[in-house]
Amino acid sequence: MTTTERPLMVEARGIRKRFGFHEVLKGIDLQVRTGEVLCLIGPSGSGKSTFLRCINHLERADGGELRVDGELVGYREKGGKLYELREKDIAARRRTIGMVFQRFNLFPHLTALENVMEAPVRVLRTPRAQAATEARELLTRVGLAGKYDAYPATLSGGQQQRVAIARALAMRPRLMLFDEPTSALDPELVGEVLDVMRQLAADGMTMVVVTHEMGFAREVGDTLVFMDDGVVVEAGDPREVLGNPQHERTRSFLSKVL
């Protein structure tokens, strides 16, 4: 199956978001197909993270329509009108979307293993023994086989972020969202997190990644989107956008980060 024949995992049409008088998103149209990696780049304040948070309804879009795996995000449709779902129903749909933030947000009083087990046990009602086995497998997958019993305070930033990735994967998501997952890390720790993300992409995980790591976007991304001032300025093959940007605003931004 070619990329264009794969079903849509994310479909955004005319997404708008306003905070007070400030319109952060001004009609975003984007598509991500199953198994694709879409990378979002752009200056601070361009709307990248807000759009990412709209995908799983952490932010409520003020206009437009978002679907994940064919289902409306945060709403149900009846009689041609959209009605916001109850928080319980939103949470149920959000389970299939993993998200990794800039900050790791691990429970400091729980070990790495317990952090990864927590949601499957509490939310999915997975038996503890099964959850522990699966958590060990996930921690091994992200290169932390010897850190099952370590507490977050004893782990480096890169290790904590890898625990956070394992925790998101424990919910068996169909889609992974990454909001600048390496921006809070010391430079020498960035590579170990990107390596995990590369492997996820190689395994076929559908991913939307807000990033400043242009090398990762070029190497792993299927599509690169440059956003500025709440709009998509340019989108295309990462190698084309980075190597031969068509818009002056894209050229100006890339001249400062490449």
Side-chain angles (χ1 to χ4, degrees):
M1 183 182 294
T2 65
T3 300
T4 55
E5 293 173 329
R6 295 174 184 170
L8 287 173
M9 179 59 74
V10 179
E11 184 176 19
R13 293 189 292 184
I15 298 301
R16 294 182 175 275
K17 177 65 183 177
R18 179 185 295 276
F19 294 109
F21 294 106
H22 179 48
E23 193 172 24
V24 180
L25 300 177
K26 302 175 181 178
I28 301 295
D29 297 313
L30 283 177
Q31 293 182 343
V32 186
R33 295 191 177 274
T34 301
E36 282 189 341
V37 177
L38 181 140
C39 293
L40 289 167
I41 65 171
S44 297
S46 60
K48 309 181 300 297
S49 294
T50 299
F51 174 69
L52 201 72
R53 292 170 65 88
C54 284
I55 293 177
N56 63 0
H57 211 63
L58 287 177
E59 294 288 357
R60 177 183 176 275
D62 297 321
E65 185 177 291
L66 254 170
R67 292 181 184 270
V68 172
D69 209 9
E71 289 189 338
L72 281 169
V73 173
Y75 298 89
R76 60 182 176 86
E77 191 171 10
K78 185 177 181 181
K81 293 185 178 181
L82 296 182
Y83 298 89
E84 191 163 19
L85 295 172
R86 295 176 300 174
E87 186 57 41
K88 180 178 71 173
D89 297 320
I90 292 171
R93 292 192 179 183
R94 196 180 281 144
R95 291 175 194 168
T96 62
I97 305 173
M99 188 159 185
V100 178
F101 300 88
Q102 296 179 37
R103 295 293 175 180
F104 325 121
N105 300 321
L106 299 177
F107 296 113
H109 63 290
L110 299 180
T111 65
L113 188 73
E114 290 166 340
N115 264 281
V116 178
M117 289 173 56
E118 184 75 2
V121 169
R122 290 184 177 272
V123 179
L124 301 181
R125 304 302 180 192
T126 305
R128 289 192 67 84
Q130 178 185 338
T133 297
E134 293 173 356
R136 290 188 188 94
E137 291 172 352
L138 287 169
L139 288 168
T140 299
R141 184 178 175 185
V142 300
L144 294 173
K147 299 294 183 179
Y148 303 144
D149 299 323
Y151 287 91
T154 69
L155 299 173
S156 71
Q159 289 170 332
Q160 290 186 59
Q161 191 62 293
R162 284 185 280 157
V163 174
I165 293 172
R167 180 180 58 183
L169 293 173
M171 294 295 286
R172 306 184 190 98
R174 293 174 288 179
L175 169 68
M176 285 285 286
L177 309 177
F178 292 87
D179 188 6
E180 299 189 28
T182 61
S183 64
L185 301 178
D186 292 333
E188 66 268 22
L189 302 178
V190 168
E192 61 192 48
V193 174
L194 294 181
D195 285 344
V196 171
M197 295 170 64
R198 287 187 184 94
Q199 189 57 55
L200 287 178
D203 291 342
M205 176 62 74
T206 311
M207 297 158 60
V208 181
V209 184
V210 174
T211 185
H212 294 295
E213 302 293 336
M214 301 302 163
F216 174 86
R218 181 187 290 109
E219 175 191 348
V220 180
D222 296 288
T223 303
L224 182 65
V225 173
F226 172 63
M227 287 179 62
D228 188 34
D229 195 27
V231 301
V232 173
V233 176
E234 189 164 350
D237 181 284
R239 288 151 290 279
E240 288 293 324
V241 174
L242 293 173
N244 186 30
Q246 299 300 299
H247 294 264
E248 176 55 38
R249 182 66 188 94
T250 315
R251 288 194 289 270
S252 174
F253 173 77
L254 292 176
S255 71
K256 297 177 175 64
V257 299
L258 291 178

